[in-house]
Amino acid sequence: MSETAAQLLLERCDELAAISSNPGLIERLHLSPEHRAANDLVAGWMKDAGLSTWQDAAGNQCGRLEGREPGLPALLLGSHIDTVRDAGRYDGMLGVLLAITTVSRIRDAGIDLPFALEVVAFSDEEGTRFGTALLGSRALAGTWHDDWWNLTDKDGITLFEAFHDFGLDPARLPNAYRRPDNLIGYLEAHIEQGPILEDADRRLAVVTSIAGARRFGLTITGKAGHAGGTPYDRRRDALVGASELVVAVERISKESGTIGTVGRLEAFPGGVNVIPGRVELSLDMRAEFDDDRDDCLRRITEAAHEICERRNLAFHSTEIYRADAVRCDLELQEAFAAGIRATGDAEPMAFWSRAGHDGVAVVAVTPIAMLFLRCRGGISHHPDEAVKKADVAAALDAYEATVLSLVSSSSSS
Ligand code: GLV
Ligand code: MN
Ligand code: MN
């Protein structure tokens, strides 16, 4: 039965993947027409599962199954339905669909629920469109910053305008906030996005914590000039300086056991016969512990200053995103471990998430925990993302058993 449910779930991931702004690729950005279409499709599946549905004031698609009496605090289950550019089809979407199917199975089993179950399909986890991540979950958690309204996308559209274009009223954003006393916790299932499970030949794992991440926009400024006429000793080539920095980011991050990535780099003016006068690049820094991440960042910043001084360049850095590491709740971790054990894995693996997730924001209002599912080659943020049907079936069984274990512990307390 779980295999059949897993098959349907994978077909639904394919249906969602077909909603893309870029034919041939998977690309679904926050508050886009594709986001609207995905919300509508997901709302339909929520209704089929017996949930009442609504879209909240931040564009998150929500569904609710009442507990034994209406209005009880809710256990939230979810993930996100936005994507990176040229994405895979499971990052986020799989977690939303696992949540809907789990709630549907619990409803069909007629379980007496001491709390409500809600599914949330978060509108923006990746931050692809506006450069800052977790906008959907931060609205829900009441940690929204009003200066975000002025963030712009690549076409100069502000977040404020995008809300209007989507049919949302920015003035009503605070209505997306969920009070802690109306919540039991937040559970998320997600592909691992790394190779640990596959290397260990295991299907599922409990997540112990989610890495803290900081992101920066860096600018290196030199002076543009003629590619033929300018002697080397008079050049202030911003791209050569930036290249040294990219290599330093990798070296220092490796040495300090943290993870540093330059994912974007653009040289200006960008002429084939012009020395680059300015380079804009991004820096993403993550670690299990925030102190390690921040120490590494200090060393990278020192290296950047040294490189730029030596090459007569200017260095400027702006922080565009910061989320500190979050520990998953021990009781909810144990519930996921019980869920995995119910699938026949007597000693579930447990490790920290190198990727960011909505739980980083949701933890401000309720305890969080996560279940990881093996993905092929550990590949993610790439169209080659793949999962096995049997693993999805195991995840469904584990998820259902997890919720049932929370039902039992809540009923007996
Ligand atoms: C989200 O996928 C992130 O970890 O950047
Ligand atoms: Mn992602
Ligand atoms: Mn994700």
Side-chain angles (χ1 to χ4, degrees), residues 310-327:
R310 180 161 39 78
R311 293 185 167 274
N312 195 15
L313 304 167
F315 174 71
H316 187 258
S317 163
T318 309
E319 185 157 24
I320 51 177
Y321 172 81
R322 177 178 182 144
D324 287 343
V326 160
R327 296 215 60 84

Side-chain angles (χ1 to χ4, degrees), residues 10-86:
L10 292 174
E11 284 165 14
R12 288 179 169 181
C13 285
D14 292 343
E15 265 189 80
L16 270 173
I19 303 176
S20 169
S21 56
N22 204 332
L25 307 180
I26 301 172
E27 187 171 297
R28 200 167 45 253
L29 303 190
H30 187 209
L31 305 175
S32 61
E34 294 72 34
H35 177 190
R36 152 77 47 236
N39 271 6
D40 290 347
L41 187 59
V42 165
W45 292 330
M46 288 174 167
K47 284 190 187 114
D48 293 346
L51 309 189
S52 57
T53 64
W54 70 100
Q55 182 185 268
D56 78 7
N60 299 312
Q61 180 60 50
C62 308
R64 178 173 168 106
L65 177 70
E66 293 294 351
R68 61 171 68 118
E69 58 193 73
L72 289 171
L75 178 65
L76 304 182
L77 284 65
S79 192
H80 59 99
I81 52 169
D82 66 316
T83 72
V84 293
R85 296 189 196 282
D86 198 8

Side-chain angles (χ1 to χ4, degrees), residues 158-323:
T158 63
L159 180 59
F160 188 88
E161 289 162 343
F163 257 64
H164 272 295
D165 295 348
F166 196 73
L168 291 168
D169 178 359
R172 290 174 46 81
L173 189 275
N175 293 350
Y177 171 63
R178 301 296 307 267
R179 285 180 20 202
D181 54 346
N182 286 333
L183 300 172
I184 300 280
Y186 171 70
L187 303 182
E188 176 165 351
H190 204 285
I191 55 168
E192 183 202 324
Q193 307 183 280
I196 298 172
L197 277 168
E198 193 174 72
D199 288 353
D201 197 20
R202 306 285 286 275
R203 289 180 160 162
L204 303 172
V206 178
V207 177
T208 52
S209 68
I210 306 173
R214 295 178 71 175
R215 294 185 185 147
F216 299 83
L218 310 180
T219 306
I220 295 186
T221 313
K223 193 163 176 60
H226 197 288
T230 318
Y232 279 116
D233 62 356
R234 297 198 190 183
R235 290 186 183 212
R236 295 173 60 208
D237 186 329
L239 184 52
V240 182
S243 307
E244 269 200 58
L245 179 57
V246 173
V247 175
V249 166
E250 187 190 56
R251 177 180 50 77
I252 298 168
S253 303
K254 273 184 176 170
E255 281 168 10
S256 53
T258 62
I259 313 168
T261 304
V262 175
R264 186 175 52 75
L265 184 150
E266 205 173 349
F268 300 91
V272 69
N273 55 354
V274 184
I275 296 163
R278 177 168 60 88
V279 171
E280 307 275 354
L281 60 163
S282 62
L283 174 64
D284 175 297
M285 292 295 315
R286 305 167 188 233
E288 182 176 13
F289 302 108
D290 297 332
D291 286 352
D292 295 345
R293 175 198 64 192
D294 295 346
D295 277 352
C296 178
L297 190 60
R298 193 181 31 73
R299 287 183 60 197
I300 287 173
T301 308
E302 278 168 17
H305 284 295
E306 186 279 317
I307 293 163
C308 289
E309 228 171 271
R310 180 161 39 78
R311 293 185 167 274
N312 195 15
L313 304 167
F315 174 71
H316 187 258
S317 163
T318 309
E319 185 157 24
I320 51 177
Y321 172 81
R322 177 178 182 144

Side-chain angles (χ1 to χ4, degrees), residues 390-408:
D391 292 359
V392 174
L396 273 176
D397 289 343
Y399 214 161
E400 184 179 359
T402 300
V403 175
L404 292 180
S405 93
L406 291 170
V407 168
S408 315

Side-chain angles (χ1 to χ4, degrees), residues 91 125-126 193 215 286 355-356 381:
D91 174 2
E125 188 278 336
E126 306 284 7
Q193 307 183 280
R215 294 185 185 147
R286 305 167 188 233
H381 284 185

